Amino acid sequence: AADVMTDLEAGRRIVTFGDVHGDIDALKNFLVTAQIMDESSSVEEPVWSGGDTICVQVGDILDRGDDELACFRLLTSLSRQAREAGGELIMLYGNHEALNCVGLFQYANPGGNYEFEHEVGVSIDSALGSNRWRLMYAGNQPSRWAAFEPGGLLAENLLANMKVAVVVGRTVFVHAGLTASHVKEYGSIETMNQAAADWVLHQHHGENDYEGHYDTVAQVVESAQKRARGATKKMPNCLGGGSGEG
């Protein structure tokens, strides 16, 4: 989707909603109520029913719930279908996406962490024939961190396609707020979104050690700290520096 869409035909329908926090049932209920998901379809095989509607999800899909990946799968499926139908479903970063990108998981639910272990971690173990890759993350939710870190498993296909802000019609959509300093620093919405995409597409901590060549616990801890520091230091200001609650 374009970052700025101001040339819209009269009467074009715009729908927006905020924090999902891993609640797949509430998400489906909203999408059906908003008439952009066929109520007879399932969360596993959703069907877009919104025609040329533009839907903006303004962040915080992650944390606090048990079905975060399922929510992302549902929304990304509808996003593809929306575009084919002449509509749009756009996902924005919230502060909880930024937190997860830099290894801060204090708001994650045990059920959500299990989802990442079951759907991500087990697959990595199988692909590598070992679980020693987990040492890089020093016990800090390795499956979740590997999925969301810059340059990680979901960086190219998911996170780089998310936006910090978009303009649709006469409205700016953003999570939490857009300040004058953001606009001054980046110059445009497009530049801001590109900065976020550039950051999330590249790892910032050096090489990965998938075989876990560490001699001491201190080395393991330092590896994870370096990973977190590298991503946080390079995080664009428009993503909030990887901290904050909302």
Side-chain angles (χ1 to χ4, degrees):
D3 295 351
V4 177
M5 295 177 283
T6 54
D7 188 21
L8 302 179
E9 57 272 26
R12 183 81 177 267
R13 188 165 181 258
I14 302 170
V15 172
T16 187
F17 65 105
D19 301 21
V20 174
H21 286 308
D23 190 335
I24 191 71
D25 294 330
L27 175 58
K28 180 184 179 182
N29 287 340
F30 171 82
L31 296 170
V32 169
T33 301
Q35 300 179 345
I36 57 177
M37 177 179 167
D38 190 318
E39 64 179 338
S40 65
S41 66
S42 67
V43 295
E44 292 81 13
E45 296 183 6
V47 175
W48 174 261
S49 61
D52 67 353
T53 297
I54 299 172
C55 176
V56 184
Q57 196 288 320
V58 293
D60 280 4
I61 296 169
L62 290 175
D63 290 337
R64 298 199 168 108
D66 295 343
D67 298 294
E68 298 152 275
L69 286 171
C71 290
F72 268 119
R73 279 195 299 269
L74 170 55
L75 290 170
T76 53
S77 176
L78 289 179
S79 181
R80 289 189 293 268
Q81 295 177 51
R83 185 165 297 185
E84 293 171 358
E88 296 282 358
L89 193 158
I90 304 162
M91 288 182 285
L92 304 187
Y93 280 96
N95 59 300
H96 284 265
E97 282 71 46
L99 288 164
N100 274 254
C101 284
V102 296
L104 295 174
F105 307 130
Q106 62 266 41
Y107 303 110
N109 269 17
N113 290 332
Y114 174 80
E115 183 189 29
F116 280 91
E117 272 297 309
H118 180 69
E119 300 195 24
V120 178
V122 172
S123 296
I124 302 175
D125 289 345
S126 177
L128 295 178
S130 168
N131 63 4
R132 289 189 63 80
W133 63 273
R134 296 167 179 269
L135 290 171
M136 295 187 290
Y137 303 95
N140 184 28
Q141 301 302 330
S143 301
R144 180 185 286 271
W145 203 350
F148 282 103
E149 68 180 338
L153 296 174
L154 296 178
E156 182 175 358
N157 291 328
L158 175 63
L159 298 171
N161 293 304
M162 295 173 67
K163 312 286 188 181
V164 177
V166 292
V167 178
V168 181
R170 293 179 293 178
T171 303
V172 178
F173 294 87
V174 65
H175 185 84
L178 186 67
T179 69
S181 63
H182 289 142
V183 177
K184 183 177 181 180
E185 177 179 357
Y186 293 99
S188 69
I189 297 290
E190 293 92 340
T191 303
M192 186 182 304
N193 288 332
Q194 189 60 53
D198 290 344
W199 174 76
V200 85
L201 282 170
H202 301 97
Q203 63 185 43
H204 306 288
H205 57 265
E207 295 299 315
N208 288 317
D209 185 350
Y210 296 107
E211 297 180 0
H213 294 123
Y214 304 101
D215 296 323
T216 66
V217 172
Q219 289 178 355
V220 171
V221 173
E222 174 57 27
S223 172
Q225 290 176 339
K226 179 180 178 183
R227 184 174 232 94
R229 285 195 303 265
T232 302
K233 184 177 180 180
K234 296 288 188 179
M235 177 182 277
N237 290 333
C238 61
L239 284 176
S243 62
E245 182 173 0

